[in-house]
Amino acid sequence: MKSLSSLKSLIAKNLAFIILFVLGLLIPQITSDQYILHLLILSFILATLGASWDMLAGYGGLFSFGHQAFYAIGGYASAIICINYGASPWLGLLIGGVFASLASLIISYPVLKLRGPYIALITLAFSLVVFELIIIFRDLTGGPSGLWGIPEFTSLDLGIAKITFGYADRTSYYYLAYVLMIISIVLLKIFVESKYGLRLRIIKESEEVAETLGIDTVKYKLMAVLISTFIAGYIGAFYAHYIQLLSPEVTWVSTMLDIVLATMLGGFVTIYGAVVGSVATIFLKEYLRVLEQWRLVIFGGVLILIVIAAPNGLIKEVIVRVSSLRKRISGKKP
Amino acid sequence: MVTLLGTAPPHTSLYFLQISSLSLTTVIQLLVGGIIDGLFYALMGLGFGVILEGMDLYDFAHGAFYMIGGYITYYSINAITADPIIAIILSMAITFLFGCVVDFLTLRPVRKRGREDWVLAGLIILMSLSVLLENLAIIVFGTEYKGVPPYVQGHVTVGDIIIDLQRALSASLSAILILITYVFLKKTKYGRAIRALAQNKELAEISGVNPEILYPIIFGLGACLAAAAGSLLAPVYFISPTIGAFPGLMAFIVVIISGLGSTGGLILGGILLGITSSFVGFLYSNEWAYLVAFAIAIVVITFRPRGLFGVRRE
């Protein structure tokens, strides 16, 4: 009985998530519009990135402004190894994650030593270093003109069904992106709700208090960095094998702004928020293409307004407002 | 030999460690070029540093203000008068007002909310502002490069070393502007109030300094110094909507390297960065020069967060 009621409360707590999860599963059955599927795949990539950044920045207080660098490292590492060594793109996902985490170790020393804005600055500088390295080692990375001919995912034989990946029908890409996103989000959610996540939040509130409580601050922060960059790395690898072309522009600050915008739209310190925010960001960006250059002007303006008016995230703010309104109304009734 | 990188690269993988030989003339030429660039970096860094010190804010729109300064100069010279002095003054004045307005509209509401998330909220706001301004510039001015005729023509030759007069003039004017700002901050009533605010907000308020009047002025001052750099370099480089990205980054790098609270240190840091960049750029490539600058910044933040010559801020 106890397990049943706890299951019930778990479902009730994550109801919105479960509804979205089922909806996500059904979409390729509802529409076969390849363009919509493509946009959703891009949204899932951004959502995974956003969620991993949210864990690092929102829960861990490590305000990385170079998250896109790990995304790029994952993509380039997997692409280069698959092109030069003929490794399977499936292994590439793991390679991407591992390389991104290894790269994060290099920058971890200063990041774990410093606080607040310094972390933003140093990670931003790191992303610029990564950009220049991609330009400099052009024999390997393709340089400014981009890395072409990244192999696509090989077909997967599951015995009962054979899954092939192609542009004509993106359904399998869609489900792969979807699964990767769901795995990442569930893992991140479990991590932040666990005792490790709790300690991470204590460290964010006050490093002194955490140390007094005997929490090894370096260990927990390093754990957060490694998990977050691993996720950014493998989703970068997925992006590389999906688009089959990588350009050094992914390391630009504009990618970071997309991540921030998606997270801020959906809700900061929520993990889930990034999903809703990313779908909104990608679709708005596409459908506002008619506005040409005005699009980015509007985006910049919207982000400024969000930071001013709803610093915890737009949708989260709306939900909080609505639920407090509902409470007030139902409180008045009796 | 089995290389680490699979398919063997066309040349040895350590090609970037080879150094070409330098003659004395080249060395002096590179030093002079580095000092000139260093003064531009210092001027950009000064505005960035004033905002960082006074408002505890990293001005990621600094490059955008530089770009605005360049365009105001272009239109002033082409539409109003050919006098570059007027163009520079105009670009500083307009950008100063613009900076005040930006602070009032976007930064003040966040500041009023409390100091907790101020730095990061400010960072996101200014990054968005810079994206907004860059794209607005594309709409308004177009993407084509615009050029301004040089303020002075020709070059001087000292021995074998050639110095372009325009660059020398711009660098000297940068040095003069840095000096003026230094005197303003040290000697005038407003300057002293700004420094008091930077050192201790509560004490400054008790002594009758009103931060809500000063913050827009500080932001405007920082912005107008960036615009001044944009005006001075308008005849050296072409003007385009994205021209500010690199100078904006250099402002940030030079302030990290030199630290806050010492104008002399800022100039020295700028010149060191300029000389390093000019040598690395000559010996390897510009990409390596940027890479080295960013790497130096990372090393400095890690081991000496207050900068090489900084006297404040841990």
Side-chain angles (χ1 to χ4, degrees):
Chain A
M1 271 319 272
K2 194 172 168 255
S3 66
L4 194 67
S5 68
S6 73
L7 186 69
K8 247 183 197 167
S9 80
L10 196 68
I11 290 175
K13 242 169 86 182
N14 295 311
L15 191 64
F17 179 69
I18 291 165
I19 293 172
L20 280 178
F21 175 74
V22 174
L23 191 68
L25 276 181
L26 291 178
I27 281 177
Q29 313 305 325
I30 300 166
T31 175
S32 59
D33 188 338
Q34 297 302 310
Y35 180 57
I36 301 273
L37 288 184
H38 172 65
L39 293 185
L40 282 170
I41 293 169
L42 292 183
S43 308
F44 296 159
I45 293 173
L46 185 60
T48 314
L49 269 178
S52 64
W53 182 73
D54 192 16
M55 187 270 276
L56 198 60
Y59 291 84
L62 301 165
F63 264 90
S64 160
F65 257 77
H67 210 56
Q68 76 278 26
F70 301 107
Y71 175 60
I73 288 170
Y76 271 100
S78 172
I80 288 168
I81 289 175
C82 289
I83 290 174
N84 291 342
Y85 289 102
S88 154
W90 295 99
L91 187 64
L93 290 178
L94 186 66
I95 292 170
V98 169
F99 268 79
S101 283
L102 285 178
S104 80
L105 280 180
I106 300 170
I107 196 75
S108 283
Y109 176 70
V111 162
L112 298 186
K113 210 175 139 194
L114 300 165
R115 285 174 198 190
Y118 283 118
I119 294 175
L121 299 184
I122 203 163
T123 46
L124 188 66
F126 177 72
S127 77
L128 298 168
V129 167
V130 172
F131 174 75
E132 297 300 345
L133 284 174
I134 293 171
I135 301 291
I136 289 170
F137 292 97
R138 58 191 72 194
D139 300 336
L140 211 55
T141 61
S145 50
L147 185 58
W148 295 74
I150 302 168
E152 61 181 355
F153 284 102
T154 45
S155 53
L156 209 58
D157 203 348
L158 292 179
I160 33 170
K162 201 162 185 269
I163 305 168
T164 50
F165 292 88
Y167 280 164
D169 184 11
R170 291 169 202 248
T171 315
S172 36
Y173 272 119
Y174 175 90
Y175 279 117
L176 182 57
Y178 191 65
V179 166
L180 287 176
M181 177 185 75
I182 295 292
I183 291 175
S184 315
I185 284 177
V186 168
L187 279 179
L188 287 167
K189 197 71 189 171
I190 291 172
F191 177 72
V192 298
E193 300 282 332
S194 71
K195 61 176 185 186
Y196 302 111
L198 187 68
R199 284 172 192 167
L200 200 61
R201 276 200 252 185
I202 296 173
I203 294 170
K204 182 198 174 190
E205 288 309 318
S206 163
E207 214 144 311
E208 285 76 21
V209 170
E211 270 161 20
T212 326
L213 290 172
I215 295 173
D216 185 351
T217 56
V218 170
K219 182 178 134 194
Y220 289 100
K221 286 201 280 186
L222 189 62
M223 202 189 275
V225 168
L226 289 179
I227 292 175
S228 173
T229 52
F230 184 85
I231 291 174
Y234 79 61
I235 209 68
F238 171 78
Y239 173 79
H241 294 291
Y242 171 57
I243 301 286
Q244 294 166 25
L245 162 71
L246 271 179
S247 92
E249 276 141 50
V250 289
T251 60
W252 283 1
V253 179
S254 52
T255 315
M256 193 63 230
L257 276 183
D258 278 351
I259 298 175
V260 177
L261 180 64
T263 317
M264 291 299 238
L265 264 178
F268 199 42
V269 203
T270 57
I271 303 287
Y272 300 154
V275 182
V276 187
S278 304
V279 175
T281 308
I282 296 281
F283 275 81
L284 278 177
K285 259 188 144 172
E286 274 306 306
Y287 285 100
L288 293 181
R289 243 175 225 286
V290 283
L291 299 175
E292 288 168 9
Q293 224 63 47
W294 281 105
R295 187 172 64 127
L296 283 169
V297 175
I298 292 169
F299 260 64
V302 167
L303 197 46
I304 292 175
L305 285 178
I306 292 176
V307 174
I308 292 173
N312 290 320
L314 194 61
I315 294 169
K316 193 179 171 189
E317 190 84 11
V318 169
I319 291 173
V320 168
R321 291 264 165 93
V322 167
S323 64
S324 77
L325 195 71
R326 214 198 282 160
K327 258 183 208 156
R328 218 184 298 159
I329 293 168
S330 63
K332 272 175 190 167
K333 263 181 194 166
Chain B
M1 198 184 86
V2 179
T3 61
L4 189 71
L5 308 172
T7 51
H11 33 55
T12 156
S13 55
L14 292 178
Y15 67 95
F16 54 85
L17 289 179
Q18 295 161 0
I19 293 181
S20 39
S21 57
L22 286 172
S23 69
L24 185 65
T25 317
T26 324
V27 169
I28 297 173
Q29 183 80 54
L30 286 172
L31 278 175
V32 171
I35 291 169
I36 289 179
D37 283 346
L39 286 168
F40 299 143
Y41 296 158
L43 180 62
M44 283 300 283
L46 183 65
F48 193 94
V50 164
I51 294 176
L52 178 56
E53 207 178 356
M55 304 176 70
D56 207 11
L57 179 70
Y58 291 88
D59 180 14
F60 274 98
H62 215 57
F65 295 129
Y66 172 98
M67 175 268 295
I68 292 175
Y71 275 108
I72 296 173
T73 311
Y74 173 81
Y75 283 103
S76 165
I77 284 179
N78 281 304
I80 303 172
T81 159
D83 190 344
I85 299 289
I86 290 178
I88 294 169
I89 291 171
L90 206 60
S91 101
M92 288 179 72
I94 295 175
T95 320
F96 176 79
L97 290 177
F98 180 65
C100 295
V101 172
V102 164
D103 178 80
F104 189 77
L105 289 180
T106 66
L107 298 171
R108 195 183 51 106
V110 180
R111 196 161 49 224
K112 288 221 156 145
R113 212 163 57 208
R115 307 286 298 178
E116 202 185 312
D117 62 344
W118 160 247
V119 175
L120 294 158
L123 212 109
I124 297 172
I125 287 185
L126 290 176
M127 274 192 170
S128 320
L129 180 75
S130 117
V131 171
L132 191 154
L133 289 175
E134 254 176 35
N135 287 283
L136 204 58
I138 294 176
I139 296 166
V140 177
F141 306 121
T143 45
E144 67 271 20
Y145 288 80
K146 292 188 160 64
V148 170
Y151 304 149
V152 281
Q153 298 269 1
H155 53 79
V156 282
T157 2
V158 185
D160 290 332
I161 298 137
I162 304 160
I163 302 169
D164 180 29
L165 266 181
Q166 174 59 54
R167 286 172 65 85
L169 176 76
S170 291
S172 325
L173 286 174
S174 298
I176 291 170
L177 274 173
I178 294 171
L179 201 67
I180 292 174
T181 315
Y182 175 77
V183 171
F184 168 77
L185 287 174
K186 284 276 168 188
K187 303 285 176 206
T188 65
K189 191 178 122 203
Y190 275 104
R192 275 202 286 262
I194 289 174
R195 285 194 302 136
L197 191 63
Q199 278 171 19
N200 190 323
K201 184 168 177 260
E202 283 74 29
L203 274 182
E205 274 182 288
I206 292 166
S207 334
V209 172
N210 183 353
E212 281 314 310
I213 294 179
L214 274 189
Y215 283 136
I217 295 180
I218 297 173
F219 195 74
L221 178 65
C224 91
L225 287 171
S231 292
L232 291 174
L233 289 179
V236 180
Y237 305 107
F238 287 102
I239 305 160
S240 79
T242 49
I243 184 118
F246 174 67
L249 274 177
M250 277 332 223
F252 149 72
I253 301 285
V254 80
V255 168
I256 287 179
I257 291 177
S258 0
L260 292 174
S262 152
T263 308
L266 191 71
I267 296 178
L268 204 57
I271 288 177
L272 277 178
L273 188 63
I275 290 175
T276 315
S277 299
S278 94
F279 273 90
V280 178
F282 178 78
L283 292 173
Y284 302 116
S285 70
N286 281 335
E287 285 94 17
W288 275 102
Y290 302 149
L291 186 85
V292 167
F294 302 145
I296 292 175
I298 291 180
V299 171
V300 171
I301 303 188
T302 310
F303 296 103
R304 211 177 146 83
R306 69 186 149 113
L308 293 180
F309 314 108
V311 290
R312 274 197 296 279
R313 176 182 273 265
E314 261 312 321

